[in-house]
Amino acid sequence: MTNSAAPLDDRAPAACVGVFDSGVGGLSVLRALHRHLPRSRLLYVADSGYAPYGERDERYVIERSRVLTAHLLREGAQLIVVACNTATAAAVRALREEHPGVQFVGVEPGIKPAIALSRNGRIGVMATRGTLASDKFRQLVSSHAQGAQLHLQACAGLAHAIEAGDADSAEVLALVDRYTAPLREVDVDTVVLGCTHYPFVAQHIQKALGAEVRLVDTADAVARRAQQLATSLQAATDAVPRQTARLWTTGDLSTLQSVAGRWLGFEAETQVLLPA
């Protein structure tokens, strides 16, 4: 992996930030955090051995989120980013209640920015079934979607296919074509990428929808929020440049190494996270 050549900002907070996702999709958020928190120590867990979350019940997702949070806290995380739409919807409230002294940042589909961008008011939302069925998503729609026509597209199997590590595989391309077809038919002009895996196939989604359709990814917004919260934390390290990011997986190590090497663009240590 190549190390980022961007200069470090001495004014940026130097916190220890933990991140988890059901798999490698949250690396899209980790990449944004690396840009916005250039002095912070970054920890990441891909729960690939227990994925996909989007096809699981809420109790399962909450329990896995508790396990991963406990690991990140043991490793020194001061702030935790739940880089998974499904886990945010199912578990972030419980995590905040159980760890009142820890700041949590969740991710959610970018309905509000999509409405601001849309010209015709027809907006597609690509997400997992778990995200679209959640109370948190319904509340998000109720708060922000007045006057817009939302076309919800559950993308069963797409995150799992991306998780395999080949974003250009025939399976991924077929699923992208299947799930974008209904959105093309209703003439959406803006599409929300409601799963952190999907930005890694954004080029295929864009091609399938057409160049005139705008895609909304909230990774940078999440990173900016984490940056704001990190300023109130005591510096975790004074080292400049910062320590290498640490990545764990509960699944196949070679897959994490391959995906991180192609998608992150900065140096990271990788290892398997064994059951506690």
mmCIF file of all heavy atoms in Angstrom, residues 21-24 46-56 60 64 84 159-160 163 197 250-251:
data_model
loop_
_atom_site.group_PDB
_atom_site.id
_atom_site.type_symbol
_atom_site.label_atom_id
_atom_site.label_comp_id
_atom_site.label_asym_id
_atom_site.label_seq_id
_atom_site.Cartn_x
_atom_site.Cartn_y
_atom_site.Cartn_z
ATOM 1 N N ASP A 21 -17.689 -2.146 10.539
ATOM 2 C CA ASP A 21 -18.712 -2.407 9.521
ATOM 3 C C ASP A 21 -18.922 -3.907 9.449
ATOM 4 O O ASP A 21 -18.113 -4.692 9.966
ATOM 5 C CB ASP A 21 -18.261 -1.852 8.164
ATOM 6 C CG ASP A 21 -19.287 -2.106 7.052
ATOM 7 O OD1 ASP A 21 -20.499 -2.024 7.317
ATOM 8 O OD2 ASP A 21 -18.883 -2.406 5.922
ATOM 9 N N SER A 22 -19.979 -4.312 8.776
ATOM 10 C CA SER A 22 -20.235 -5.736 8.580
ATOM 11 C C SER A 22 -19.163 -6.384 7.720
ATOM 12 O O SER A 22 -19.057 -7.609 7.681
ATOM 13 C CB SER A 22 -21.606 -5.938 7.929
ATOM 14 O OG SER A 22 -21.631 -5.335 6.643
ATOM 15 N N GLY A 23 -18.382 -5.569 7.022
ATOM 16 C CA GLY A 23 -17.327 -6.118 6.173
ATOM 17 C C GLY A 23 -16.395 -5.018 5.715
ATOM 18 O O GLY A 23 -16.069 -4.102 6.466
ATOM 19 N N VAL A 24 -15.994 -5.090 4.453
ATOM 20 C CA VAL A 24 -15.011 -4.140 3.923
ATOM 21 C C VAL A 24 -15.639 -2.840 3.448
ATOM 22 O O VAL A 24 -14.935 -1.884 3.135
ATOM 23 C CB VAL A 24 -14.196 -4.772 2.772
ATOM 24 C CG1 VAL A 24 -13.400 -5.976 3.273
ATOM 25 C CG2 VAL A 24 -15.109 -5.166 1.603
ATOM 26 N N ALA A 46 -13.554 -5.209 10.166
ATOM 27 C CA ALA A 46 -14.477 -5.731 9.157
ATOM 28 C C ALA A 46 -15.042 -7.043 9.689
ATOM 29 O O ALA A 46 -14.300 -8.015 9.858
ATOM 30 C CB ALA A 46 -13.734 -5.969 7.838
ATOM 31 N N ASP A 47 -16.336 -7.075 9.959
ATOM 32 C CA ASP A 47 -16.953 -8.275 10.548
ATOM 33 C C ASP A 47 -17.376 -9.256 9.457
ATOM 34 O O ASP A 47 -18.504 -9.775 9.464
ATOM 35 C CB ASP A 47 -18.154 -7.863 11.408
ATOM 36 C CG ASP A 47 -18.504 -8.908 12.457
ATOM 37 O OD1 ASP A 47 -17.636 -9.754 12.771
ATOM 38 O OD2 ASP A 47 -19.635 -8.880 12.953
ATOM 39 N N SER A 48 -16.469 -9.514 8.538
ATOM 40 C CA SER A 48 -16.785 -10.300 7.341
ATOM 41 C C SER A 48 -17.199 -11.728 7.660
ATOM 42 O O SER A 48 -17.970 -12.340 6.913
ATOM 43 C CB SER A 48 -15.578 -10.309 6.399
ATOM 44 O OG SER A 48 -15.217 -9.001 6.022
ATOM 45 N N GLY A 49 -16.705 -12.274 8.763
ATOM 46 C CA GLY A 49 -17.068 -13.640 9.132
ATOM 47 C C GLY A 49 -18.503 -13.779 9.590
ATOM 48 O O GLY A 49 -19.017 -14.899 9.698
ATOM 49 N N TYR A 50 -19.171 -12.652 9.849
ATOM 50 C CA TYR A 50 -20.553 -12.668 10.336
ATOM 51 C C TYR A 50 -21.490 -11.889 9.411
ATOM 52 O O TYR A 50 -22.637 -11.627 9.756
ATOM 53 C CB TYR A 50 -20.618 -12.090 11.752
ATOM 54 C CG TYR A 50 -19.856 -12.909 12.758
ATOM 55 C CD1 TYR A 50 -18.481 -12.739 12.922
ATOM 56 C CD2 TYR A 50 -20.491 -13.884 13.521
ATOM 57 C CE1 TYR A 50 -17.762 -13.506 13.834
ATOM 58 C CE2 TYR A 50 -19.789 -14.651 14.443
ATOM 59 C CZ TYR A 50 -18.423 -14.461 14.587
ATOM 60 O OH TYR A 50 -17.722 -15.221 15.480
ATOM 61 N N ALA A 51 -20.991 -11.517 8.254
ATOM 62 C CA ALA A 51 -21.778 -10.763 7.275
ATOM 63 C C ALA A 51 -22.638 -11.717 6.443
ATOM 64 O O ALA A 51 -22.370 -12.931 6.404
ATOM 65 C CB ALA A 51 -20.831 -9.971 6.362
ATOM 66 N N PRO A 52 -23.660 -11.173 5.755
ATOM 67 C CA PRO A 52 -24.050 -9.753 5.699
ATOM 68 C C PRO A 52 -25.034 -9.388 6.804
ATOM 69 O O PRO A 52 -25.870 -10.197 7.186
ATOM 70 C CB PRO A 52 -24.707 -9.646 4.321
ATOM 71 C CG PRO A 52 -25.325 -10.996 4.112
ATOM 72 C CD PRO A 52 -24.386 -11.988 4.767
ATOM 73 N N TYR A 53 -24.941 -8.169 7.312
ATOM 74 C CA TYR A 53 -25.868 -7.697 8.326
ATOM 75 C C TYR A 53 -27.249 -7.415 7.739
ATOM 76 O O TYR A 53 -28.261 -7.555 8.421
ATOM 77 C CB TYR A 53 -25.359 -6.398 8.958
ATOM 78 C CG TYR A 53 -24.233 -6.539 9.949
ATOM 79 C CD1 TYR A 53 -23.658 -7.773 10.241
ATOM 80 C CD2 TYR A 53 -23.732 -5.419 10.603
ATOM 81 C CE1 TYR A 53 -22.618 -7.874 11.154
ATOM 82 C CE2 TYR A 53 -22.707 -5.514 11.519
ATOM 83 C CZ TYR A 53 -22.140 -6.739 11.796
ATOM 84 O OH TYR A 53 -21.120 -6.826 12.703
ATOM 85 N N GLY A 54 -27.290 -6.966 6.490
ATOM 86 C CA GLY A 54 -28.544 -6.533 5.898
ATOM 87 C C GLY A 54 -29.589 -7.620 5.778
ATOM 88 O O GLY A 54 -30.781 -7.337 5.637
ATOM 89 N N GLU A 55 -29.156 -8.878 5.860
ATOM 90 C CA GLU A 55 -30.085 -9.997 5.768
ATOM 91 C C GLU A 55 -30.373 -10.615 7.137
ATOM 92 O O GLU A 55 -31.037 -11.657 7.227
ATOM 93 C CB GLU A 55 -29.514 -11.076 4.841
ATOM 94 C CG GLU A 55 -28.937 -10.545 3.520
ATOM 95 C CD GLU A 55 -29.951 -9.781 2.695
ATOM 96 O OE1 GLU A 55 -31.116 -10.214 2.671
ATOM 97 O OE2 GLU A 55 -29.588 -8.754 2.098
ATOM 98 N N ARG A 56 -29.836 -9.999 8.213
ATOM 99 C CA ARG A 56 -29.974 -10.554 9.568
ATOM 100 C C ARG A 56 -31.045 -9.805 10.363
ATOM 101 O O ARG A 56 -31.426 -8.679 10.019
ATOM 102 C CB ARG A 56 -28.643 -10.435 10.313
ATOM 103 C CG ARG A 56 -27.459 -11.057 9.603
ATOM 104 C CD ARG A 56 -27.496 -12.574 9.696
ATOM 105 N NE ARG A 56 -26.221 -13.145 9.264
ATOM 106 C CZ ARG A 56 -25.903 -14.425 9.381
ATOM 107 N NH1 ARG A 56 -26.753 -15.275 9.923
ATOM 108 N NH2 ARG A 56 -24.729 -14.864 8.960
ATOM 109 N N TYR A 60 -29.401 -9.899 16.169
ATOM 110 C CA TYR A 60 -28.093 -10.376 15.702
ATOM 111 C C TYR A 60 -27.154 -9.199 15.466
ATOM 112 O O TYR A 60 -25.989 -9.223 15.890
ATOM 113 C CB TYR A 60 -28.287 -11.179 14.405
ATOM 114 C CG TYR A 60 -27.023 -11.734 13.793
ATOM 115 C CD1 TYR A 60 -26.642 -13.050 14.033
ATOM 116 C CD2 TYR A 60 -26.220 -10.958 12.952
ATOM 117 C CE1 TYR A 60 -25.499 -13.574 13.458
ATOM 118 C CE2 TYR A 60 -25.072 -11.472 12.376
ATOM 119 C CZ TYR A 60 -24.720 -12.781 12.625
ATOM 120 O OH TYR A 60 -23.577 -13.289 12.053
ATOM 121 N N ARG A 64 -23.539 -8.303 17.461
ATOM 122 C CA ARG A 64 -22.250 -8.158 16.770
ATOM 123 C C ARG A 64 -21.681 -6.758 16.983
ATOM 124 O O ARG A 64 -20.473 -6.587 17.171
ATOM 125 C CB ARG A 64 -22.400 -8.445 15.273
ATOM 126 C CG ARG A 64 -22.678 -9.889 14.928
ATOM 127 C CD ARG A 64 -21.683 -10.845 15.557
ATOM 128 N NE ARG A 64 -20.296 -10.505 15.203
ATOM 129 C CZ ARG A 64 -19.242 -10.963 15.887
ATOM 130 N NH1 ARG A 64 -19.402 -11.732 16.955
ATOM 131 N NH2 ARG A 64 -18.016 -10.638 15.496
ATOM 132 N N CYS A 84 -21.724 1.473 9.013
ATOM 133 C CA CYS A 84 -22.640 0.512 8.406
ATOM 134 C C CYS A 84 -24.054 1.043 8.608
ATOM 135 O O CYS A 84 -24.459 1.301 9.750
ATOM 136 C CB CYS A 84 -22.485 -0.858 9.067
ATOM 137 S SG CYS A 84 -23.683 -2.106 8.560
ATOM 138 N N ALA A 159 -24.030 -6.144 -1.450
ATOM 139 C CA ALA A 159 -22.936 -5.934 -0.498
ATOM 140 C C ALA A 159 -22.105 -7.203 -0.355
ATOM 141 O O ALA A 159 -20.872 -7.155 -0.285
ATOM 142 C CB ALA A 159 -23.484 -5.495 0.857
ATOM 143 N N HIS A 160 -22.764 -8.344 -0.326
ATOM 144 C CA HIS A 160 -22.060 -9.618 -0.190
ATOM 145 C C HIS A 160 -21.155 -9.865 -1.390
ATOM 146 O O HIS A 160 -20.021 -10.344 -1.250
ATOM 147 C CB HIS A 160 -23.072 -10.752 -0.035
ATOM 148 C CG HIS A 160 -22.456 -12.081 0.245
ATOM 149 N ND1 HIS A 160 -21.762 -12.358 1.402
ATOM 150 C CD2 HIS A 160 -22.416 -13.225 -0.502
ATOM 151 C CE1 HIS A 160 -21.333 -13.605 1.374
ATOM 152 N NE2 HIS A 160 -21.709 -14.149 0.233
ATOM 153 N N GLU A 163 -18.216 -7.680 -1.149
ATOM 154 C CA GLU A 163 -17.380 -8.186 -0.061
ATOM 155 C C GLU A 163 -16.368 -9.221 -0.541
ATOM 156 O O GLU A 163 -15.293 -9.376 0.048
ATOM 157 C CB GLU A 163 -18.286 -8.793 1.018
ATOM 158 C CG GLU A 163 -17.586 -9.232 2.275
ATOM 159 C CD GLU A 163 -17.151 -8.057 3.144
ATOM 160 O OE1 GLU A 163 -17.718 -6.958 3.002
ATOM 161 O OE2 GLU A 163 -16.244 -8.253 3.958
ATOM 162 N N HIS A 197 -20.791 -0.191 1.327
ATOM 163 C CA HIS A 197 -20.135 -0.987 0.279
ATOM 164 C C HIS A 197 -20.299 -0.364 -1.107
ATOM 165 O O HIS A 197 -19.425 -0.505 -1.963
ATOM 166 C CB HIS A 197 -20.734 -2.405 0.230
ATOM 167 C CG HIS A 197 -20.260 -3.323 1.313
ATOM 168 N ND1 HIS A 197 -20.676 -3.205 2.611
ATOM 169 C CD2 HIS A 197 -19.430 -4.402 1.273
ATOM 170 C CE1 HIS A 197 -20.122 -4.165 3.346
ATOM 171 N NE2 HIS A 197 -19.355 -4.895 2.554
ATOM 172 N N THR A 250 -12.848 -10.494 10.841
ATOM 173 C CA THR A 250 -13.287 -11.771 11.410
ATOM 174 C C THR A 250 -13.433 -12.818 10.307
ATOM 175 O O THR A 250 -13.860 -13.938 10.568
ATOM 176 C CB THR A 250 -14.636 -11.605 12.140
ATOM 177 O OG1 THR A 250 -15.620 -11.110 11.207
ATOM 178 C CG2 THR A 250 -14.503 -10.639 13.312
ATOM 179 N N GLY A 251 -13.095 -12.435 9.088
ATOM 180 C CA GLY A 251 -13.190 -13.340 7.946
ATOM 181 C C GLY A 251 -11.828 -13.671 7.366
ATOM 182 O O GLY A 251 -10.861 -13.892 8.108
#
